[in-house]
Amino acid sequence: MTDQALGITIDGAAVPCQAGDTVIDAAHRAGVYIPHLCFHPEFGPHGSCRLCMVKAGGRYVAACTTPATPGMSVESDTAEIKELRLRITQMLFVDGNHFCPACEQSGQCQLQATAYGLGMQDLHFSPSYPKKAVDASHDEMLLDRDRCIQCNLCVRASDRVDGKHVFSLGGRGIETRLMPNSASGLLRDTEFSAEDRAAHVCPVGALLFKHDNYARPIGRRLYDRTSIDRIGNRRADDAAPGGSAP
Amino acid sequence: MTTTDTFPRCGPYPAAAPFAPIREELTTRFGAMPDRLDLLQILVSIQHRLGYVPAEAISWLATNLGLSRAEIHGVVAFYSFLEETPPAPYTLRFSTNITELWQGQEANMARFKDLPNVRALPTSCIGLGDQGPAALVNGYPLPRLTATRLDAIARAIASRRPVAEWPAEWFKVDPNVRLAGPLLEFAFTPGALVERVLAAGDAAFMEMLRASGLRGRGGAGFATHAKWDACRAEVVPEKYVVCNADEGEPGTFKDRLLLSDHAELLIEGMTIAARVVGAKQGYIYLRGEYLWLYDRLNAALEARRRAGLLGAKVCGAADFPFDIAIHLGAGAYVCGEESALLESLEGRRGVPRIRPPFPATHGYRGRPTVVNNVETYCAIAQLAGIGAAEFAALGSQGSAGTKLHSVSGDCAHPGIFECAMGTQVSTLLDLCGTRDPLAVQVGGPSGRLLFPEEFHLPLDFSHVSSGGSFMVIGRERDLFELVYNFVAFFHHESCGFCTPCRSGSNIMLNALQRIRRGQGTEHELQIITEAAAVASKASHCGLGHTLGNPFQDLERGRPAVFQDRLRDSPDGTVLDLKRAVAEARALRER
């Protein structure tokens, strides 16, 4: 049950809340889209991508990790916050190697769709071209770390849903990398399968199905005609829109 | 997890020491099925004994701790002092804080670069800024690296002399107390202050704590009584008291003194905290750089146990069981952030937690936990001894007590100074013997860069708050190099969890490198400014929030430092055609 007394406002509009809501929970239930990549309705907040930054009480906070407190006034769709989100998105782009035109996930990628949604025209920052290993050892799936944004969703899905602990984050700082759990360090030698939940949560093209790529023609891909703020947190292979996102 | 370990001087390490011989030792120490929370401690123990963590050890840990190999790899890779590659007989880690670089540390490191049997690596500040340049050899500190000393070290390495047999003088760390005040001179009978709190009652001590106005000594200045109150309010049987001895802010070393020479005061303070909030177990999170203090600190704990001041009945009180264990870090600055520290204490990667909830209600193992730093616990004991009024009178308005400053850099008397809160920057500069410095970095890289026009400011929570680092920068120094060094430090120490800090620090460092190479334009300055602003607004923790500070302070205070380094090309052209095609020309012999 939502309770008006617990409500907050987002950009001046009243948003009802339930006890225990974070700002993003309340916003999405009310149909107010707040950009996000590492948050997922099924897996909850992670707080790492920082795309859902909003301003509340004069402070910058992540909507996915900040409890909605009664009467809280949140700024989200302002020029200042949109620019902040744009810069964070550009930081994600230069942090990896993202070549959209050639990418199998183009048109279905949440990072790309978020960038379009924020009006991104260029990288703004100089690309860092990091060296990140591609793991093509698995029969069904490709792990392309160049595209990984370290949202931890595959880690969480494999731990919590599949119970396989296939993935882990290793390294530190700019050297942080996704690591499969096997003696060889290769995806082939893990228990990973294309049927795993972990194979279906990647918001970008870091975990790709090896077959059937480029099957959907341009114009019929997930985000070709409808922007991410209207589709919400959904993957191309999701049967229905994921969770509570609008 | 109250296992004690021991860390003697080790090495030279064999190229690939087998794991089997120490497996017995680990099983004795940690049990046949060790606690998952002990992962980091076991790794530290293996690393110190073998010089690396062999693959067999990872398999053994995965099986016995019920963890995935990837998770263990993830922990090993997170900490700078843990390695999976077979070691060199000797590893020298040279502290590369800017004050030590200015003392010639680059050349010291280079001297060992091509020698056999040794690896020379850079490392973040190791807490010896007052007696640098300094390095660690297989984890043990080597202060005062003069040319003569370096020659002797090189000879010891060439002859594969065991580190345990190197002269004690080489490892001697001076206390370097330049000015002692009421805290460092505070004398008491161990246990007497705990007894006083036991007699007066917890509520009375909380009132004293509130009235004293004591605030955390780490720099943020959170009211200690508020933190304790939140923890006291939780009605659960399992609570913890944790001491943050992860003094990682470059240029800080006052905890080194408190841990080595005033451990009684620290333990007394932690015991009082345990009594007041209702904790039965305490932990000292000791930074890996202070591994050499581990055995000494353990001896102090053991002496307290023998005296009945730790254990089942502290001070004879049947309702007060409390003990303390030491937990070693392994080279990760971010673990100084209290929630990252708790993650590390639980044996995981030191990634800061989502807050709220805060540690006072959800801390170690998800239980209410008070986390304070070394100096704060010492001040707690002092407060119990002298009372609120006297304690408050020692400092300035809103900043009760005294503060220890670790003074290093370009001054005649580097060392530790205890000053009343509210002491002016200029007073401390006079005390440490410096004339007309260019600037002073207060509170380390995450603190503030102050110029002479700001030297009148008081060092307290209302004006210039400091965790205790005070680096004096002489006239001849280049402030660009200072900022470059600090950004490189943050870049190295970023945990990599959130985008603004991970990517932002990389963007800043790359742009500063372009400027440093003489290829920078206004564009680079603008990029750095933006990345710093995004990091300060949008990062997950304090490391990211403050990583832009050094750049922002210098850009505001002395913009010419950057402007003078920029190329004259306003369009941002950085292509040097001759250089770009030089290789191709050489290959074609033209």
Side-chain angles (χ1 to χ4, degrees):
Chain A
M1 276 294 290
T2 59
D3 184 343
Q4 281 297 339
L6 295 176
I8 60 174
T9 63
I10 299 180
D11 298 323
V15 170
C17 293
Q18 294 176 6
D21 269 355
T22 60
V23 171
I24 209 167
D25 294 333
H28 287 175
R29 196 182 308 106
V32 177
Y33 179 74
I34 296 179
H36 58 274
L37 290 169
C38 69
F39 169 85
H40 186 285
E42 185 182 341
F43 298 101
H46 189 239
S48 69
C49 77
R50 314 305 282 178
L51 267 173
C52 68
M53 292 305 292
V54 294
K55 211 169 174 181
R59 294 177 54 230
Y60 299 93
V61 294
C64 73
T65 61
T66 304
T69 52
M72 181 185 250
S73 166
V74 175
E75 293 170 41
S76 176
D77 201 24
T78 64
E80 184 203 6
I81 293 295
K82 282 195 285 193
E83 191 190 323
L84 183 61
R85 289 175 187 156
L86 172 64
R87 292 288 175 255
I88 293 169
T89 308
Q90 288 162 323
M91 282 184 170
L92 274 172
F93 269 87
V94 300
D95 190 42
N97 296 301
H98 299 276
F99 304 110
C100 294
C103 179
E104 295 87 334
Q105 202 63 2
S106 207
Q108 332 251 40
C109 167
Q110 294 197 357
L111 177 64
Q112 183 193 42
T114 300
Y116 276 129
L118 291 165
M120 182 171 136
Q121 301 286 326
D122 65 354
L123 292 178
H124 191 70
F125 303 111
S126 302
S128 61
Y129 301 122
K131 286 201 173 95
K132 299 191 178 188
V134 173
D135 181 345
S137 64
H138 197 272
D139 281 346
E140 303 166 294
M141 302 292 298
L142 177 74
L143 168 58
D144 187 344
R145 294 184 181 84
D146 281 329
R147 304 162 184 175
C148 177
I149 57 163
Q150 294 153 23
C151 66
N152 224 37
L153 273 169
C154 58
V155 179
R156 288 179 273 168
S158 186
D159 286 355
R160 297 186 207 166
V161 181
D162 310 322
K164 291 186 178 178
H165 311 285
V166 167
F167 298 104
S168 209
L169 284 178
R172 187 173 85 189
I174 204 76
E175 300 296 333
T176 306
R177 300 283 187 274
L178 190 64
M179 298 194 307
N181 175 34
S182 62
S184 64
L186 293 174
L187 198 54
R188 175 185 62 201
D189 300 322
T190 68
E191 298 172 51
F192 192 48
S193 135
E195 275 73 55
D196 288 357
R197 186 76 183 95
H200 300 261
V201 289
C202 184
V204 291
L207 274 174
L208 272 178
F209 297 94
K210 276 189 167 174
H211 315 290
D212 309 326
N213 285 309
Y214 307 111
R216 275 201 216 195
I218 293 173
R220 297 212 339 241
R221 301 171 307 181
L222 185 61
Y223 298 114
D224 279 340
R225 290 169 184 275
T226 317
S227 60
I228 191 166
D229 60 330
R230 292 177 57 201
I231 295 177
N233 198 318
R234 191 179 146 195
R235 275 73 180 160
D237 58 341
D238 281 350
S244 59
Chain B
M1 202 178 93
T2 48
T3 321
T4 59
D5 208 331
T6 177
F7 294 92
R9 297 206 296 258
C10 285
Y13 294 116
F19 174 60
I22 70 157
R23 200 165 49 206
E24 286 292 299
E25 199 187 329
L26 292 171
T27 309
T28 316
R29 185 162 286 134
F30 296 97
M33 298 290 282
D35 195 317
R36 189 239 171 279
L37 302 174
D38 281 333
L39 174 61
L40 182 55
Q41 292 320 281
I42 300 173
L43 290 170
V44 168
S45 205
I46 297 171
Q47 171 77 37
H48 190 67
R49 275 157 184 79
L50 306 181
Y52 76 126
V53 181
E56 306 163 69
I58 302 222
S59 301
W60 181 77
L61 284 166
T63 309
N64 288 281
L65 273 68
L67 295 171
S68 81
R69 304 173 65 98
E71 191 171 358
I72 299 171
H73 285 300
V75 171
V76 172
F78 187 85
Y79 296 94
S80 293
F81 293 172
L82 299 179
E83 297 170 288
E84 291 188 43
T85 45
Y90 303 90
T91 295
L92 288 170
R93 294 183 192 272
F94 290 87
S95 180
T96 51
N97 186 27
I98 187 66
T99 55
E100 286 164 281
L101 287 181
W102 280 334
Q103 289 167 332
Q105 193 74 302
E106 288 277 11
N108 296 344
M109 204 164 8
R111 192 189 184 304
F112 291 87
K113 270 276 185 273
D114 298 318
L115 293 186
N117 301 336
V118 62
R119 280 185 315 166
L121 307 173
T123 195
S124 299
C125 181
I126 60 174
L128 294 165
D130 56 333
Q131 40 207 302
L136 298 170
V137 59
N138 296 351
Y140 263 74
L142 296 164
R144 299 176 302 274
L145 295 174
T146 58
T148 327
R149 178 64 52 80
L150 289 162
D151 287 342
I153 291 169
R155 282 195 300 274
I157 287 172
S159 63
R160 294 181 73 97
R161 191 173 172 192
V163 178
E165 292 171 18
W166 290 17
E169 168 61 21
W170 294 4
F171 299 98
K172 192 172 168 293
V173 173
D174 291 329
N176 248 345
V177 180
R178 300 288 183 175
L179 181 65
L183 181 77
L184 293 179
E185 287 175 346
F186 180 70
F188 70 106
T189 310
L193 305 171
V194 176
E195 277 173 10
R196 200 180 289 190
V197 174
L198 281 168
D202 307 340
F205 186 79
M206 284 305 290
E207 176 49 30
M208 182 193 275
L209 185 56
R210 193 198 56 74
S212 72
L214 175 63
R215 294 164 72 174
R217 268 34 188 165
F222 193 74
T224 306
H225 86 93
K227 206 180 235 185
W228 289 25
D229 248 350
C231 186
R232 269 166 63 84
E234 297 291 310
V235 190
V236 294
E238 194 184 335
K239 296 186 188 178
Y240 296 94
V241 163
V242 172
C243 172
N244 183 346
D246 192 40
E247 175 176 59
E249 197 66 47
T252 321
F253 43 80
K254 38 112 199 142
D255 289 353
R256 180 192 78 207
L257 171 76
L258 294 173
L259 292 161
S260 68
D261 296 2
H262 300 265
E264 278 296 340
L265 195 61
L266 163 66
I267 301 167
E268 192 88 5
M270 287 181 73
T271 311
I272 292 170
R275 174 67 195 185
V276 174
V277 304
K280 296 185 187 71
Q281 181 64 45
Y283 293 102
I284 297 172
Y285 185 95
L286 185 66
R287 69 186 304 226
E289 289 81 351
Y290 288 169
L291 171 134
W292 57 281
L293 287 168
Y294 183 95
D295 288 358
R296 195 182 303 198
L297 207 48
N298 237 341
L301 291 171
E302 194 46 46
R304 296 272 299 195
R305 279 181 206 116
R306 281 198 305 272
L309 304 179
L310 284 177
K313 292 179 191 171
V314 176
C315 296
D319 66 338
F320 186 22
F322 178 63
D323 211 328
I324 296 174
I326 309 169
H327 179 112
L328 269 169
Y333 164 76
V334 70
C335 291
E337 196 279 343
E338 62 176 8
S339 69
L341 183 147
L342 292 172
E343 284 293 294
S344 183
L345 199 57
E346 293 181 9
R348 285 193 288 272
R349 294 159 60 79
V351 173
R353 293 178 178 172
I354 292 171
R355 300 181 307 164
F358 293 94
T361 59
H362 296 74
Y364 182 62
R365 303 169 60 119
R367 304 294 194 277
T369 303
V370 157
V371 186
N372 283 122
N373 82 353
V374 177
E375 195 180 347
T376 309
Y377 283 121
C378 291
I380 288 288
Q382 182 198 14
L383 167 67
I386 65 176
E390 193 177 325
F391 186 87
L394 292 174
S396 58
Q397 182 72 37
S399 302
T402 58
K403 180 80 195 79
L404 298 185
H405 297 282
S406 322
V407 178
S408 64
D410 301 309
C411 61
H413 315 295
I416 292 159
F417 292 74
E418 183 182 351
C419 300
M421 283 278 188
T423 300
Q424 286 178 317
V425 172
S426 55
T427 308
L428 187 49
L429 285 169
D430 290 341
L431 285 169
C432 72
T434 179
R435 286 176 60 85
D436 197 22
L438 185 59
V440 54
Q441 182 76 31
V442 181
S446 74
R448 284 177 67 181
L449 176 61
L450 299 178
F451 299 99
E453 59 270 27
E454 296 158 304
F455 288 172
H456 63 281
L457 290 171
L459 291 157
D460 63 19
F461 295 116
S462 319
H463 301 89
V464 180
S465 183
S466 171
S469 170
F470 192 94
M471 293 185 266
V472 184
I473 302 151
R475 281 280 145 195
E476 69 280 20
R477 305 304 184 189
D478 180 351
L479 290 172
F480 179 88
E481 288 301 312
L482 176 96
V483 168
Y484 178 73
N485 177 261
F486 289 170
V487 172
F489 164 76
F490 285 123
H491 179 260
H492 175 68
E493 296 295 346
S494 168
C495 79
F497 174 78
C498 76
T499 315
C501 178
R502 179 184 70 238
S503 183
S505 63
N506 199 44
I507 288 165
M508 288 177 69
L509 186 66
N510 288 339
L512 282 169
Q513 279 166 346
R514 288 196 292 277
I515 297 177
R516 201 165 179 244
R517 287 196 299 263
Q519 298 172 339
T521 65
E522 280 291 343
H523 174 72
E524 269 70 31
L525 268 193
Q526 187 204 327
I527 290 299
I528 300 169
T529 306
E530 283 181 325
V534 171
S536 75
K537 286 175 192 166
S539 291
H540 175 60
C541 83
L543 193 158
H545 292 150
T546 54
L547 71 84
N549 289 3
F551 170 79
Q552 288 166 344
D553 284 353
L554 184 54
E555 175 68 359
R556 249 193 308 267
R558 297 289 184 273
V561 170
F562 292 110
Q563 290 299 331
D564 292 351
R565 289 203 175 229
L566 300 185
R567 278 169 56 102
D568 298 329
S569 148
D571 63 353
T573 311
V574 291
L575 181 66
D576 180 341
L577 196 57
K578 247 187 185 162
R579 258 178 61 182
V581 300
E583 192 182 6
R585 285 171 62 95
L587 285 170
R588 300 185 65 178
E589 294 171 354
R590 289 168 77 176

